[in-house]
Amino acid sequence: MQLDPRSTSFGRHETFPLRYGWLPKGFEAIEEDPQTLHKPEIAMIKLGVGRNMVNAIQYWLQTTGIITIDGGGAHATELGKMIFAADYNGGDPYLEDDATLWIVHWLIASNATQATGFFWFFNRYAAPRFSDKELLEGLTDFVNNTLNQKKRSQNTLKSDISAITRMYAAVPGRTDEHLDSPLTDLGLIEADPHSGYRSLRTNRPFLPVTALHFALSQRFAAEPEQPALPVRSLLYGDDGKASPGAIFRLSESGFMEKLEQLMSTYPSCYELRDTAGVNQLYRGSELPDPLSILEHYYRSSL
């Protein structure tokens, strides 16, 4: 949720972007046997993938907060159960709901510790158009100068750049297996015939308000002592913290429109105020925790 140069990681996805089916299948496997991911030969058969892909599935399950891993094996979190467990009301066991996909994206891009390259791209990289080469130069500069990790392998950084573009950008004419990512549907990165890619801030009218509600609730939960958060921080993330506006690639007008829609729907959860010339979003008296937001959404969708 907040960048800490002492706790970062790159390239742990084994070069494999998140694919359709991986989170539901991985969740189901560890629910049947918490030791599945520690038994590569069994996991390969159960998940129908190679050894490196088993490691990648474990990585994406951890990075999205669907599971935790300790000496006793892998364990589903309450978030994971809320989305995928059959004994919960509602949920999204096949990862088909747009709101769930946007929340999965938020969980990855806000995870500065386990997905530092993704956090950097969505929270810190502002260029609307770019090539793979420009992305690598930007990430290298960030790692060298902001994180002071000058010994970080270029191949590892290239791996993150490749995973980001392959996971989010549907490139016309490309037929490789990496088009099989559910997050390409979000339209956050697009192929650009002139510069390689573009990732533009827009109004995003199809962004589910529940995704923004979930993200804001997580931001407030991360700073329980703070009664309010600066709108600038929520929009631009230039303070080292995860920014819903940046992660969802919202323009300023788009962010404010979604925020107004959210406050209209949940008037007791948030309040906008101008305090000493700073526009701030205050937590309301009835702001629920993120899991409650998700539970209410799934139950209301039944």
Side-chain angles (χ1 to χ4, degrees), residues 76-256:
T77 63
E78 288 303 306
L79 173 65
K81 293 175 184 177
M82 183 73 66
I83 298 173
F84 296 115
D87 55 349
Y88 270 66
N89 291 326
D92 186 17
Y94 302 107
L95 205 60
E96 298 173 319
D97 193 295
D98 284 347
T100 311
L101 288 177
W102 281 99
I103 288 170
V104 165
H105 162 63
W106 160 261
L107 291 167
I108 294 170
S110 65
N111 193 337
T113 299
Q114 293 176 301
T116 312
F118 288 75
F119 180 92
W120 162 80
F121 175 76
F122 284 102
N123 290 278
R124 303 292 291 268
Y125 192 72
R129 291 177 172 80
F130 46 85
S131 64
D132 287 316
K133 180 175 180 291
E134 288 168 331
L135 272 185
L136 180 59
E137 289 171 350
L139 181 56
T140 300
D141 179 70
F142 169 75
V143 169
N144 288 346
N145 298 316
T146 301
L147 303 183
N148 196 28
Q149 297 179 10
K150 294 180 171 58
K151 294 183 179 180
R152 182 71 68 173
S153 164
Q154 278 284 290
N155 286 336
T156 300
L157 300 186
K158 286 180 182 178
S159 171
D160 261 12
I161 294 302
S162 177
I164 290 168
T165 56
R166 285 153 52 198
M167 197 155 102
Y168 286 94
V171 178
R174 190 174 67 190
T175 58
D176 66 32
E177 70 276 15
H178 303 301
L179 287 175
D180 216 9
S181 169
L183 300 186
T184 59
D185 294 338
L186 304 184
L188 292 166
I189 304 178
E190 300 173 307
D192 187 318
H194 302 294
S195 60
Y197 304 96
R198 58 176 174 257
S199 183
L200 309 177
R201 284 182 178 253
T202 71
N203 283 11
R204 303 205 179 274
F206 299 111
L207 171 68
V209 72
T210 297
L212 180 59
H213 196 14
F214 182 93
L216 289 172
S217 179
Q218 279 208 329
R219 272 297 311 268
F220 274 110
E223 300 180 72
E225 75 288 351
Q226 295 295 335
L229 301 174
V231 169
R232 179 177 178 81
S233 171
L234 297 174
L235 184 56
Y236 295 110
D238 49 9
D239 55 359
K241 299 173 184 176
S243 158
I247 287 175
F248 294 140
R249 285 298 192 254
L250 286 164
S251 61
E252 184 172 346
S253 62
F255 180 75
M256 297 309 295

Side-chain angles (χ1 to χ4, degrees), residues 9 11-14 16 54-64 108 114-116 118 160:
S9 60
R12 290 180 50 209
H13 38 68
E14 302 274 357
F16 294 107
V54 170
N55 295 336
I57 291 172
Q58 175 177 311
Y59 168 75
W60 290 117
L61 285 166
Q62 286 182 278
T63 298
T64 54
I108 294 170
Q114 293 176 301
T116 312
F118 288 75
D160 261 12

Side-chain angles (χ1 to χ4, degrees), residues 218-292:
Q218 279 208 329
R219 272 297 311 268
F220 274 110
E223 300 180 72
E225 75 288 351
Q226 295 295 335
L229 301 174
V231 169
R232 179 177 178 81
S233 171
L234 297 174
L235 184 56
Y236 295 110
D238 49 9
D239 55 359
K241 299 173 184 176
S243 158
I247 287 175
F248 294 140
R249 285 298 192 254
L250 286 164
S251 61
E252 184 172 346
S253 62
F255 180 75
M256 297 309 295
E257 286 173 10
K258 282 295 173 184
L259 193 54
E260 288 171 6
Q261 181 183 346
L262 181 57
M263 290 189 295
S264 175
T265 306
Y266 304 101
S268 300
C269 293
Y270 305 100
E271 182 183 353
L272 268 177
R273 293 187 219 161
D274 192 311
T275 305
V278 177
N279 202 15
Q280 300 203 79
L281 183 68
Y282 282 77
R283 69 171 81 226
S285 58
E286 299 179 16
L287 177 60
D289 63 80
L291 286 181
S292 297

